[in-house]
Amino acid sequence: MAITIKEVTGRQDLRRFVRFPNELYAGNEYYVPQIETMELDTLTPEKNRAFEVCEGKYWLAEDGDGKVIGRIAGIINYKYNQKIGRKLCRFGWIDFIESQEVVHQLIGKVEEYAREKGMDVVEGPVGFLEFDISGVLVEGFDQVPTAYGKYNYPYYEPLILAEGYVKSTDFVEYRISVPTDLDRYHRMARIVSERYGLREGDYKSKSELLRKYVDGIFSVMNSCYSKLHGFSELSPAQCEDLKKQFLPNINIDYVSVIVDRNDKVIGFGITLPSLSLALQKAKGHLFPFGFIHVLRALRKNDTIDALLIAISEEYQDKGVNAMIVSKIGEGMKKNGIKYVESTRELEDNHNVQNIWGRFEHRLHKRARVYIKELQ
């Protein structure tokens, strides 16, 4: 099969880049399309503040008829490289037909790009920032991913391994059953509140939550996530991008913000109603009718996705998680939520996993990041 690798240089090719997975997985019951306009914004330097610290190139693989049969992005996050003291190039947005030669040529382009930029190691799939989708699905092929995960065919891993890559780290996802009795968490929350002078933040609406506490939330997140794989501190502009991406969909019933006596944020939990089925119905477009499915999912759902959670280091292991679970648990009970999807979390992030440890839960998805030292 004749294969041509073409660098994405214009808007038309970028649209083809974004749309390829929707073509590859057409009719697949587990695939959840991303919203095309949001993907375009993420990949456009003028729209994504991650390019303050990153650069990237994108490539398409085409067959002899000019049909797209694969895609990949090469990314360098200079701020993260400075943090870890390595010359690392990332690959991301990788999708392909079942062909070793297609994979070889796509990854070869990233490795060539990495060498040109003086990098000596390649890792992926990873995005610009920690909040972009990472990893290749290796377990859970019969599960619908969250809106913040990604489905792929089982042939991805063996074809990537054949290019000399090995496991770097895994992300795991849990499906958690919401308990009907939250009394033990309410009791623990009261004890922790009284012992350390902590309380739930004072907000009655989403706008009030954002006005009073959003900066504190990002401050705690930057501090707590600093040691996580792939994370570099978010700039104020990057925080603004995240606000636009996630916060419009929040429901304060599913949010907890814990503050100290001075109203300073020391911990938080943010969960969102699951949008997976709504995005399947939207088929990658909010308009003209996709937004209706999203709005319905936000109002009526039996599943929420645990998106973000962090507790300041000085308050870790002091039961603050019970306060977060107590508050969000009441919201889940009020709205008939039966399940929580944990979204992708690092396999060794036991602080987060311990939050759900006493609930009925099962690990049902695993995604893998790979690494290769360049010769």
Side-chain angles (χ1 to χ4, degrees):
M1 176 176 60
I3 301 170
T4 301
I5 304 299
K6 178 181 180 181
E7 184 178 345
V8 173
T9 57
R11 196 70 172 175
Q12 183 176 353
D13 279 342
L14 189 60
R15 290 187 182 279
R16 296 173 73 211
F17 184 94
V18 166
R19 290 172 179 168
F20 172 63
N22 295 345
E23 300 166 2
L24 182 64
Y25 292 98
N28 186 290
E29 64 181 306
Y30 303 113
Y31 173 68
V32 175
Q34 298 295 305
I35 298 299
E36 288 186 10
T37 53
M38 296 178 67
E39 284 284 88
L40 286 168
D41 285 352
T42 298
L43 295 165
T44 301
E46 294 78 16
K47 297 289 186 70
N48 186 353
R49 312 292 182 87
F51 282 90
E52 293 176 342
V53 297
C54 298
E55 68 168 73
K57 285 188 175 184
Y58 320 128
W59 295 271
L60 293 168
E62 299 177 342
D63 66 12
D65 297 321
K67 179 182 178 182
V68 178
I69 53 177
R71 69 171 188 171
I72 198 168
I75 298 164
I76 301 174
N77 183 324
Y78 290 101
K79 186 173 185 178
Y80 180 70
N81 285 359
Q82 184 179 25
K83 169 187 167 182
I84 64 172
R86 297 206 68 181
K87 298 178 180 179
L88 184 148
C89 178
R90 305 173 172 197
F91 70 84
W93 280 270
I94 182 169
D95 289 287
F96 44 83
I97 64 171
E98 190 172 5
S99 165
Q100 189 69 61
E101 185 58 27
V102 170
V103 177
H104 178 71
Q105 293 202 34
L106 284 171
I107 288 183
K109 277 295 180 184
V110 174
E111 293 177 356
E112 178 184 319
Y113 167 65
R115 291 187 177 96
E116 288 175 356
K117 293 293 182 176
M119 304 295 109
D120 53 25
V121 62
V122 176
E123 184 179 49
V126 183
F128 297 99
L129 302 176
E130 175 72 13
F131 303 97
D132 296 319
I133 296 172
S134 299
V136 162
L137 189 69
V138 294
E139 295 177 19
F141 297 107
D142 59 348
Q143 304 290 314
V144 176
T146 68
Y148 317 100
K150 184 175 180 292
Y151 184 82
N152 58 259
Y153 290 125
Y155 63 72
Y156 276 41
E157 178 174 58
L159 296 185
I160 292 173
L161 291 175
E163 295 301 316
Y165 286 78
V166 297
K167 173 186 171 181
S168 173
T169 190
D170 277 3
F171 293 88
V172 292
E173 297 182 49
Y174 294 88
R175 186 167 177 82
I176 302 130
S177 296
V178 177
T180 56
D181 184 3
L182 292 167
D183 285 349
R184 67 184 307 273
Y185 289 93
H186 297 330
R187 290 195 299 270
M188 178 61 72
R190 287 193 294 270
I191 292 171
V192 173
S193 175
E194 294 170 2
R195 180 175 297 169
Y196 299 108
L198 305 176
R199 59 178 173 82
E200 182 70 28
D202 182 20
Y203 54 93
K204 299 295 189 295
S205 66
K206 179 168 65 176
S207 60
E208 188 177 14
L209 165 67
L210 300 182
R211 177 174 54 82
K212 295 178 69 173
Y213 298 119
V214 71
D215 291 336
I217 288 171
F218 280 114
S219 176
V220 170
M221 184 169 64
N222 265 334
S223 175
C224 293
Y225 287 15
S226 63
K227 297 178 182 179
L228 295 182
H229 181 276
F231 184 83
S232 56
E233 183 178 354
L234 299 171
S235 70
Q238 290 162 6
C239 290
E240 286 298 320
D241 278 354
L242 286 175
K243 291 179 193 178
K244 295 175 184 177
Q245 183 178 356
F246 295 115
L247 298 182
N249 295 330
I250 67 171
N251 179 331
I252 61 173
D253 286 345
Y254 306 135
V255 174
S256 174
V257 180
I258 307 300
V259 299
D260 64 14
R261 292 183 178 91
N262 299 314
D263 210 33
K264 177 184 176 182
V265 177
I266 62 90
F268 69 90
I270 298 175
T271 64
L272 296 174
S274 173
L275 297 179
S276 297
L277 300 183
L279 292 179
Q280 284 185 330
K281 294 174 182 176
K283 298 180 180 179
H285 302 281
L286 286 178
F287 301 100
F289 303 115
F291 76 96
I292 297 174
H293 301 298
V294 172
L295 290 176
R296 286 174 178 168
L298 291 173
R299 288 197 302 262
K300 187 176 181 180
N301 219 309
D302 69 351
T303 303
I304 60 173
D305 295 338
L307 185 60
L308 297 169
I309 188 166
I311 299 169
S312 294
E313 188 171 0
E314 62 184 302
Y315 287 101
Q316 290 177 9
D317 301 319
K318 292 183 177 179
V320 175
N321 59 313
M323 297 181 68
I324 295 173
V325 171
S326 176
K327 164 60 167 61
I328 296 177
E330 279 302 303
M332 292 190 290
K333 182 178 178 180
K334 169 185 171 183
N335 294 296
I337 299 297
K338 298 178 181 178
Y339 305 102
V340 177
E341 289 277 350
S342 68
T343 69
R344 292 186 176 179
E345 57 195 42
L346 287 164
E347 61 182 339
D348 58 357
N349 191 351
H350 303 300
N351 287 334
V352 171
Q353 292 160 21
N354 288 340
I355 294 174
W356 312 111
R358 295 183 182 274
F359 291 6
E360 180 184 340
H361 64 281
R362 63 186 175 92
L363 194 163
H364 69 146
K365 283 173 278 186
R366 181 182 294 270
R368 184 158 294 155
V369 174
Y370 307 90
I371 195 166
K372 178 181 178 180
E373 302 282 344
L374 298 179
Q375 302 300 318

